[in-house]
Amino acid sequence: MKVVIDTNSLLSLVRYYLPFDKKGVLFQFFKKKIETGEIIIIDKVLLECTYNSKGVVLTKLVYLNDKTFLKTAKVPFRTDSLLAPSPAKFLRQVESQFVNTVVRRQKKLTDTEFDNQKNAFINDADMKQIILCLNLMKDGEKVVLVTEETESSNDNKLFKKIPAICKELNIETLTLPELLAKYDGIDIDFQ
């Protein structure tokens, strides 16, 4: 199973789990899974980790700052030339299925304004993760996208959230606790 993980899940890991990881079990577990390519961090997520919450993810997961580790583990996964398996179909889905039509009507966007926001959305970390999942699935991989987002859209954004889009594309999503529950060998002592 390949796991594509988002910025907020990494942030949750370092904020809410690692402080209790006195023996470094989770720290080492994630390092190993990233190193073997089972957990994938894309370039845009790693970039977000540098400026979100004062870079706490990179401060706590020090191996994500280690150039030798990054090179040998092939981290981050480069997305600059990553395309959806069926680009034309995918663009139609972005314009029709993934857009929050109520918000689009409320904002009264011109076609040019909508195209600009659509292009920014397609090049955003969230969408690049989804496109990566689609490509991995096309290659026969079992893929899970780990996100702390919920499916409901309550932030008045033009495009739907990761879980809603993944549901339409049949990409499995899990939260960080759900992912950790799937793995054997994580024995954390909260004393």
Side-chain angles (χ1 to χ4, degrees):
M1 173 175 73
K2 297 281 186 186
V3 174
V4 178
I5 192 164
D6 75 353
T7 307
N8 287 331
S9 297
L10 289 170
L11 198 54
S12 291
L13 174 69
V14 300
R15 279 187 175 161
Y16 308 120
Y17 294 85
L18 290 187
F20 299 102
D21 187 30
K22 302 297 183 203
K23 295 180 182 173
V25 174
L26 274 178
F27 180 86
Q28 289 301 325
F29 178 82
F30 270 82
K31 181 178 181 182
K32 186 71 176 162
K33 293 291 184 187
I34 292 168
E35 197 170 34
T36 61
E38 290 177 61
I39 294 179
I40 301 170
I41 300 174
I42 67 167
D43 49 5
K44 293 185 180 281
V45 166
L46 194 61
L47 180 64
E48 285 179 352
C49 287
T50 62
Y51 58 81
N52 277 11
S53 299
K54 299 178 184 174
V56 70
V57 170
L58 299 180
T59 303
K60 299 292 184 183
L61 299 175
V62 292
Y63 46 84
L64 293 180
N65 265 330
D66 181 352
K67 292 191 187 311
T68 306
F69 174 83
L70 295 176
K71 188 174 181 175
T72 57
K74 296 181 179 113
V75 174
F77 186 95
R78 308 288 316 157
T79 61
D80 40 3
S81 61
L82 187 64
L83 296 173
S86 301
K89 177 185 175 190
F90 188 75
L91 277 176
R92 285 191 303 276
Q93 286 178 304
V94 169
E95 292 172 353
S96 60
Q97 291 174 268
F98 306 157
V99 70
N100 187 338
T101 51
V102 173
V103 174
R104 184 175 182 190
R105 275 189 239 118
Q106 286 174 345
K107 290 187 177 188
K108 298 177 183 166
L109 298 173
T110 66
D111 288 343
T112 305
E113 291 170 328
F114 177 73
D115 279 343
N116 288 338
Q117 289 198 28
K118 177 184 73 176
N119 289 334
F121 178 67
I122 289 171
N123 289 304
D124 186 55
D126 291 353
M127 193 51 69
K128 289 294 187 177
Q129 291 173 102
I130 291 169
I131 292 170
L132 173 59
C133 288
L134 288 172
N135 279 288
L136 291 169
M137 288 168 57
K138 181 188 75 153
D139 294 340
E141 293 279 353
K142 178 169 173 27
V143 181
V144 173
L145 201 157
V146 176
T147 182
E148 302 308 295
E149 287 185 5
T150 59
E151 194 175 327
S152 61
S153 181
N154 59 357
D155 51 7
N156 213 25
K157 288 188 178 176
L158 183 59
F159 294 95
K160 294 179 180 178
K161 294 182 167 218
I162 291 174
I165 294 171
C166 286
K167 187 175 186 180
E168 293 188 40
L169 295 171
N170 295 318
I171 299 170
E172 184 181 358
T173 59
L174 295 173
T175 62
L176 186 59
E178 291 169 335
L179 174 71
L180 293 174
K182 282 193 173 277
Y183 284 119
D184 291 329
I186 301 177
D187 185 25
I188 301 173
D189 187 8
F190 286 101
Q191 292 183 2

